[in-house]
Amino acid sequence: MCGICALWAYAPAAPPVEGRELLAIRDAMSARGPDGAGTWIGGDARIGLGHRRLAIIDLSPAGAQPMAGEDGRERIVFNGEIYNFLELRRELEDEGVRFRSHSDTEVLLHLYRRDGPDMVRRLVGMFAFALWDEAKGGLLLARDPFGIKPLYLADDGTTLRAASQVKALLAGGAVDTRPEPAGHAGFFLWGNVPEPFTLYKGVRALPPGSWLWVERGGSRRSETYFSLPRSLAESSAPEGATVAEALAASVRRHLIADVPVGVFLSSGLDSTTLAALASEARSGHIDTLTLGFREFQGTERDETPLAEQVALRYGARHRTRWITAADFAAARESILRDMDQPSIDGVNIWLVARAAAEEGLKVVLSGLGGDELFGGYNTFTQIPALVRRLSPLARVPWLGRGVRRAAAPFLGHLTSPKAAGLLEYGTGFADAYLLRRGLFMPWELDRVLDPEMAREGLEELATRERLEAGCDGLVRDRHRIAALEMQWYMRNQLLRDADWAGMAHSLEIRVPLVDIGLFRALLPLLTGPTPPGKLEMAAAPRTPLPPAILNRRKTGFSVPVAEWMGMGERGLRGWARHIHQTFTAPAARAETGP
């Protein structure tokens, strides 16, 4: 895991790449890579690459970046891990390729020379990279299928800038920082900024599962090489592995490292399954870590007793770290400073990542993604049930909107503000998903934003249309919800929070349940008549999980932010206002993240 950046002055009129800007962007990401740093600027000063290194695989200087091919024709900066790199390396060696290091980065260089941009189809892992091809005079940017690793772009029409963080691009001082209405409206709508938007007009995210090629003069090509809804809709995969086989293989891949690997352990099925499988793969020699909150101690929301029971069963070296309101108060400003884009979540990950780093860990496994893959959220049942009951009302298009306009002014004070939109947004899957996952509803945005910005933002977001497109072609309820959860909540909230919060502490967070190899192996089952659920996932370990875990009612991992902030029952909305104010304060643009 690292921080990468690239500057490509592709237009003849573009000024040369400045070393000061490249260094400012790179070093704004110093926490992402405390183990080393490097830059390279081409001889004509039209291209520059920068890298901050967190050494995980091949800790020697041979793994340093920017890395050049043997003849210097290609150079790369890479963030992430390629879990099938040993398999790809053997394949390339059989074709006569000679390697100078043991890193996965060098595999990417040789794979590109053989396959060009199509190389990304062979990769199993989490990645974002920028690869310069001197002979072709172009820069290739690519991102992993699920968007685990971020990559942000700023293109002013003459120079393309890319980096792992938005705040890093801001630190360079050359991007358009005018407010992007879609980013601000999107944050209040979801509690996160939906891709490809950011808070700034000049910065966009490279879409997951895609690559972009930009050559001299500005000519460009791009391709979406992976689409989740298309994969679910068009699957004709032959019979694959069993759930147990596929999960065990994914965990083994994610344990590949030249440093110790730990596991974030709660009392939920996802993390306990991973801890059990990791322990079986490593004969019990794993480290597990649980975060406990004093406000929850002794209640149903206390994760620690069952987590300790699981660790004992599988022979893990376990630590429990307790957090109090005073700890949060002392860390609050650091959390907001480290946050790359505004998010109402991520506090829990930041706190547990800090604890893991203090315990000496550089890599941990997280159970993120299990609910999306195996249908664990209540959205998988609640949304289809709601749509079935209310869909007949869609035949009267004015009814839902009329009820909402009449009821919203007073109903929001009596119950959830979302209740007024039930008849308007409960008749279709996409709308019902927004009603369930949204923070503020579209009709409320002019109360938290300038009304004109809210209007422009909603128009550009086109949220309802994009939600519909996100499950286009899918006819099964479970596939529709899975596609929406993976492309919206998981990608924009959970994965992004795991990235910035982990990197704030120089910690690599790996997600074995968000893995293209696992997805492909399970696709025949996921698209079959009876897709596997959480209990099938939890049955994967050879030594069964404790009955108390298997029979525990799902509660979700929560953090008492509302209690800590004294914001009452609607604490997340108050927290969102506070975060937005922090990001839009005059000094915010001068801040740099991890």
Side-chain angles (χ1 to χ4, degrees), residues 143-148 195 208 226-229 231-232 368-377 379-380 433 437 467 470-471 474 478-496 513-516 518-520 522-523 526:
R143 195 170 171 211
D144 67 69
F146 291 106
I148 303 170
E195 292 188 355
F226 175 78
S227 163
L228 178 66
S231 297
L232 290 170
L368 190 160
D371 286 312
E372 290 83 356
L373 189 63
F374 292 104
Y377 292 131
T379 53
F380 283 87
Y433 183 76
R437 283 291 186 194
L467 285 168
C471 52
L474 301 176
R478 172 156 167 173
H479 294 165
R480 290 175 179 175
I481 303 302
L484 291 170
E485 292 285 21
M486 288 186 184
Q487 294 174 102
W488 290 81
Y489 182 54
M490 186 181 82
R491 179 189 300 167
N492 296 323
Q493 188 86 69
L494 301 181
L495 289 174
R496 190 183 302 154
L513 301 178
V514 187
D515 178 81
I516 191 63
L518 175 67
F519 180 77
R520 289 169 179 159
L522 292 181
L523 193 55
L526 295 173

Side-chain angles (χ1 to χ4, degrees), residues 302 341 350 370 437 542 553 560 581:
D302 186 359
Q341 292 199 74
W350 190 95
R437 283 291 186 194
R542 294 190 299 271
R553 183 178 66 86
Q581 184 179 18

Side-chain angles (χ1 to χ4, degrees), residues 327-365:
D327 295 324
F328 172 72
R332 187 172 70 176
E333 294 309 311
S334 294
I335 293 170
L336 292 171
R337 183 177 62 250
D338 291 338
M339 194 178 286
D340 189 47
Q341 292 199 74
S343 168
I344 60 169
D345 208 348
V347 172
N348 56 333
I349 306 177
W350 190 95
L351 292 168
V352 74
R354 181 183 65 176
E358 290 172 351
E359 294 289 347
L361 291 171
K362 292 182 74 172
V363 180
V364 293
L365 306 187

Side-chain angles (χ1 to χ4, degrees), residues 273-294:
T273 300
L274 291 185
L277 292 172
S279 178
E280 291 174 354
R282 289 281 181 91
S283 301
H285 299 131
I286 63 165
D287 293 280
T288 55
L289 179 68
T290 298
L291 210 60
F293 301 99
R294 292 297 183 191

Side-chain angles (χ1 to χ4, degrees), residues 21 24-25 167-175:
E21 182 186 356
I25 295 172
K167 285 184 174 179
L169 288 173
L170 299 185
V175 302

Side-chain angles (χ1 to χ4, degrees), residues 552-571:
R552 181 174 182 260
R553 183 178 66 86
K554 181 176 177 60
T555 59
F557 184 69
S558 58
V559 177
V561 171
E563 291 93 330
W564 289 340
M565 294 287 290
M567 293 181 294
E569 61 181 6
R570 295 180 185 172

Side-chain angles (χ1 to χ4, degrees), residues 26 66 74 116 181 185 226 233 237 405 409 413 464 508 525 548 566:
R26 186 199 71 179
E74 298 94 8
F226 175 78
R405 287 177 172 174
H413 297 290
R464 298 172 84 169
E508 177 173 291
L525 296 175

